[in-house]
Amino acid sequence: MEPSAKDHILSSWQDTLHSHGFRVTRPRQQVMEIITSSTTALTPQEIYHKSLEGERFPGIASVYRTLELLDKLGLIQQIHQPGGCHGIWPTVEGHNHCLICRNCGQMKIIEGNEDITGYIARIENQTGYRVDDHWLQFFGTCSGCLD
C-alpha cells in the first residue's frame, strides 16, 4: 500500500476507534500498521509474527482482539487465499474486487463495474434465493512473478 494511502487509512481507523469510544493502544496501533503496510492479505498468525520484529510486540490474544474490533467496526475484510486460509485486508469502499497472485500473494483491488444483474436474476430464479451481495476474487500470476 502506498505511504499516503496507508497514512490516510491509519488516520481514518484511529478516528473511527475514538468515535466509538475505543483507545488506540500500542498493540492496536501495531496491528493496524502491519495490515496497512502489507501488499498481501495477512492471516492473524502472519500479523503476529510480523509484530515480533518490533521492539515491543503484542501477544497473540491482543492481535486477535484487535482484529475482532476492526472487523466489528467494518474496517477490515477477510480475503480468501489460494491455499484456503483467509487473510485480512482493509475494507475498500465502493464496488471492488480482488486480484491475487497465486505465487507471491500480492493483491490488487480492481473496480467492479461489470453488470451482472442478469446473472444474479438467473441465480435467484433457479434457486429461489434473494441475492443481496456478492464477493468476487480473481487469482492469477502477477507481472513480477511472470518475469
Side-chain angles (χ1 to χ4, degrees):
M1 197 170 291
E2 293 180 26
S4 62
K6 172 192 169 189
D7 293 341
H8 174 74
I9 292 171
L10 278 173
S11 176
S12 173
W13 285 7
Q14 291 166 346
D15 291 346
T16 300
L17 264 68
H18 286 133
S19 70
H20 285 86
F22 297 102
R23 293 183 314 124
V24 179
T25 61
R26 182 187 44 78
R28 287 177 181 161
Q29 182 69 26
Q30 285 177 287
V31 169
M32 293 188 303
E33 286 177 0
I34 290 168
I35 294 169
T36 58
S37 296
S38 182
T39 59
T40 64
L42 301 171
T43 66
Q45 293 80 14
E46 290 170 327
I47 293 169
Y48 173 69
H49 287 292
K50 285 188 177 285
S51 77
L52 297 177
E53 297 169 6
E55 199 170 292
R56 297 175 64 199
F57 49 87
I60 189 73
S62 292
V63 170
Y64 275 98
R65 282 193 301 270
T66 299
L67 293 175
E68 287 175 13
L69 176 59
L70 297 175
D71 185 51
K72 175 182 171 185
L73 295 174
L75 301 176
I76 57 173
Q77 61 185 341
Q78 292 189 22
I79 303 297
H80 182 75
Q81 297 177 314
C85 294
H86 285 90
I88 305 299
W89 188 258
T91 298
V92 180
E93 292 187 28
H95 184 193
N96 297 288
H97 301 296
C98 302
L99 178 59
I100 304 167
C101 179
R102 288 189 184 276
N103 294 329
C104 69
Q106 181 180 0
M107 198 168 96
K108 299 281 185 189
I109 301 297
I110 54 175
E111 188 175 338
N113 60 3
E114 67 285 336
D115 183 9
I116 62 170
T117 53
Y119 182 58
I120 290 173
R122 194 166 61 247
I123 291 170
E124 289 177 332
N125 289 335
Q126 290 172 352
T127 64
Y129 277 69
R130 183 185 171 287
V131 176
D132 58 16
D133 200 1
H134 69 275
W135 182 27
L136 183 60
Q137 293 182 190
F138 297 96
F139 297 94
T141 306
C142 72
S143 59
C145 290
L146 286 173
D147 294 336

